[in-house]
Amino acid sequence: MRELIAALPEGRVLTDPDVTESYARDRTFLRPGKALGVVLAQSRDDVVTTMRWATEHRVPVVPRGAGSGLAGAATAMDGSVILSLHRMTSILELSPDDEIAVVEPGVITADLDRAAREHGLMYAPDPSSYEISTIGGNLATNAGGLRCVKYGVTRDSALGLEVVLADGRVLNTGRRTVKGVTGYDLTGLFVGSEGTLGVITKATVRLRRAPAEVATVAAEFTSLREAAAAVSAIIAAGCQPSLLELMDRTTLKAIDDWKNIGLEPGTKAMLIAQSDASDSQGVAARMAELCDANGASFTALSGSPEEAAELVGVRRLAYQAKERLGQCLVEDVCVPRSVLPDMIGAVEAAAARHGVVIATVAHAGDGNLHPVFIFERGLEEPPPEVWAAADEVFREALALGGTLTGEHGVGLLKRRWLALESGPLATEIQHGIKQVFDPLNLLNPGKAI
């Protein structure tokens, strides 16, 4: 550690145990190991120096952004060094003509979006944590978000990367153009790799034209299945919503207890749909009609941008509201949209069968559900009945043709189920890829695969 401290500018390395502990976990309940220290990188050169040192001394490195992850990917391990990138916050370039931005990994997602909107553009990926999550963390987990139903996940906006490999070499992938098929898609490989293949130090991302206006619909339902049926109807009608979010009663009740949103006793689910089309009001009205036709007990259209923002703001309160109820095991299954009602029914059945509180929100237009298993605060990990319910939910998602994770990643939390989705051949190939990029297994070992 003395060598590392001497090799980096003053103040870059923290070794105080209490300070190190504060960097050692993400937003999960997982207990971190004891790290040797924290590197507060401020440049690519800091990352290069750290990785060369780590390779020389065989020290594991855990890359970290804002620590807002929900799968344990940024959890420190014993004897590791935490490599924090949150000080690399420069927007290096923003080109309205090319509709791209070049950014460092510590840039906050919402800050990039605000900078783009000054030029009539927007950064499309929109995770619920957009005010605190970083671009680097979003790239590492291939984060999705509220707008992904129309604009895709982070990988769809990633054009090129600068990556520091495990031995300190610097790799540039991708391009500045929207098209490009030269060689293998290394950019896509690094996006979603959870810091196990390299450390992203710069990204070229795609921007899109900001919509002139948006219109939002909020619809209440007396059952989750009716709300899911409305989702299917909206997609089938070709409405192309820019946002289509579903919340169950447990979630709504948590928000209402906190913010007093006026929840009606009979409301079991709320659907929030938004259009940013040129005829956004007309599309929103059509989505409202489809909600009514599928059993909505109440629908409301936003009358102004402020009202639209307020409706979406209710959805963004969901996770914080659930954290007020207890500790949370936040899950992230994704199924084909056509079987969304079946998956919602399976989550409800698992909660009833095991006597577990599950609060569910969904990026419904993608079939991506976030069932949040709530358990007693203070426990080191979820009790057996919570794990049993989670196991049932995961197995049902796979049986319906889905996946264990749509956007949060595997991290540490989902490793116990990984073999159910990745067969032996896929596992062998992924381990081979890891060996190529990180033969000493120093980068975030034990995560993702």
Side-chain angles (χ1 to χ4, degrees):
M1 289 300 292
R2 284 193 295 272
E3 288 183 24
L4 180 61
I5 292 169
L8 289 168
E10 186 176 354
R12 295 286 203 276
V13 182
L14 309 176
T15 56
D16 180 277
D18 291 335
V19 176
T20 299
E21 170 75 15
S22 70
Y23 283 87
R25 63 172 70 238
D26 58 10
R27 295 188 76 176
T28 65
F29 54 83
L30 294 167
R31 174 175 287 186
K34 291 188 178 297
L36 301 174
V38 180
V39 174
L40 302 178
Q42 294 190 25
S43 69
R44 182 193 68 185
D45 289 347
D46 290 348
V47 178
V48 169
T49 298
T50 301
M51 295 314 306
R52 286 176 176 170
W53 169 88
T55 296
E56 180 182 352
H57 296 284
R58 305 296 195 267
V59 177
V61 174
V62 179
R64 174 188 174 86
S68 62
L70 296 167
T75 304
M77 58 184 293
D78 287 340
S80 65
V81 161
I82 301 162
L83 178 54
S84 174
L85 304 161
H86 79 278
R87 289 189 174 184
M88 297 179 66
T89 59
S90 294
I91 298 176
L92 301 170
E93 179 186 351
L94 201 157
S95 172
D97 291 338
D98 293 328
E99 296 185 357
I100 63 169
V102 182
V103 300
E104 291 185 325
V107 172
I108 298 296
T109 312
D111 288 343
L112 175 57
D113 187 51
R114 281 188 282 265
R117 286 179 187 272
E118 293 179 6
H119 301 276
L121 302 169
M122 71 176 184
Y123 179 63
D126 184 34
S128 295
S129 58
Y130 76 131
E131 288 286 4
I132 58 172
S133 64
T134 63
I135 297 296
N138 292 342
L139 289 163
T141 59
N142 193 23
L146 278 62
R147 288 196 290 254
C148 56
V149 63
K150 182 172 182 178
Y151 296 103
V153 293
T154 299
R155 182 178 284 118
D156 298 300
S157 292
L159 298 175
L161 302 173
E162 177 187 84
V163 183
V164 177
L165 301 180
D167 58 7
R169 289 179 296 167
V170 178
L171 173 68
N172 287 286
T173 75
R175 63 221 179 262
R176 291 170 60 93
T177 56
V178 174
K179 288 183 176 180
V181 292
T182 305
Y184 296 129
D185 181 11
L186 296 179
T187 301
L189 178 62
F190 280 103
V191 177
S193 63
E194 301 184 45
T196 61
L197 300 180
V199 183
I200 296 169
T201 51
K202 186 166 65 177
T204 301
V205 296
R206 182 181 183 181
L207 304 177
R208 298 177 187 266
R209 287 288 153 189
E213 62 177 40
V214 296
T216 306
V217 179
E220 298 177 7
F221 295 84
T222 56
S223 82
L224 269 171
R225 281 188 169 270
E226 288 178 342
V231 169
S232 298
I234 288 170
I235 297 297
C239 294
Q240 293 188 312
S242 55
L243 181 151
L244 193 55
E245 298 290 306
L246 178 64
M247 293 180 284
D248 72 355
R249 180 167 181 85
T250 303
T251 302
L252 293 168
K253 181 69 165 56
I255 296 172
D256 189 54
D257 289 345
W258 181 24
K259 296 293 186 179
N260 190 24
I261 61 173
L263 180 64
E264 294 293 333
T267 299
K268 302 297 183 184
M270 177 183 287
L271 188 64
I272 299 177
Q274 188 173 82
S275 172
D276 63 5
S278 57
D279 179 27
S280 60
Q281 291 292 336
V283 175
R286 175 62 177 146
M287 292 193 291
E289 290 173 1
L290 292 167
C291 289
D292 288 334
N294 283 275
S297 57
F298 173 80
T299 57
L301 273 72
S302 61
S304 67
E306 292 74 23
E307 285 184 6
E310 286 178 7
L311 290 172
V312 176
V314 171
R315 166 62 181 86
R316 294 195 188 278
L317 292 171
Y319 183 62
Q320 297 97 308
K322 283 177 279 196
E323 282 187 313
R324 292 164 55 87
L325 302 180
Q327 290 200 97
C328 298
L329 170 62
V330 184
E331 288 310 339
D332 173 37
V333 296
C334 192
V335 296
R337 287 189 300 241
S338 59
V339 295
L340 181 63
D342 298 320
M343 190 65 233
I344 285 174
V347 172
E348 292 183 309
R353 185 174 298 112
H354 297 282
V356 174
V357 176
I358 305 179
T360 300
V361 299
H363 305 309
D366 303 311
N368 187 188
L369 289 83
H370 297 312
V372 177
F373 301 77
I374 299 169
F375 59 98
E376 183 180 346
R377 206 180 303 279
L379 297 179
E380 290 190 3
E381 68 168 68
E385 61 270 21
V386 168
W387 285 124
D391 180 76
E392 192 172 307
V393 166
F394 291 140
R395 291 176 184 274
E396 184 62 22
L398 294 174
L400 290 171
T403 179
L404 295 170
T405 175
E407 58 185 15
H408 291 170
V410 172
L412 289 173
L413 281 179
K414 291 194 176 71
R415 288 188 308 169
R416 65 178 71 189
W417 293 282
L418 199 56
L420 296 176
E421 182 171 342
S422 299
L425 180 56
T427 299
E428 178 185 336
I429 290 172
Q430 291 189 64
H431 286 166
I433 293 170
K434 171 72 168 173
Q435 180 71 18
V436 167
F437 285 95
D438 183 18
L440 298 178
N441 194 28
L442 298 179
L443 278 168
N444 223 6
K447 314 289 178 59
I449 63 168

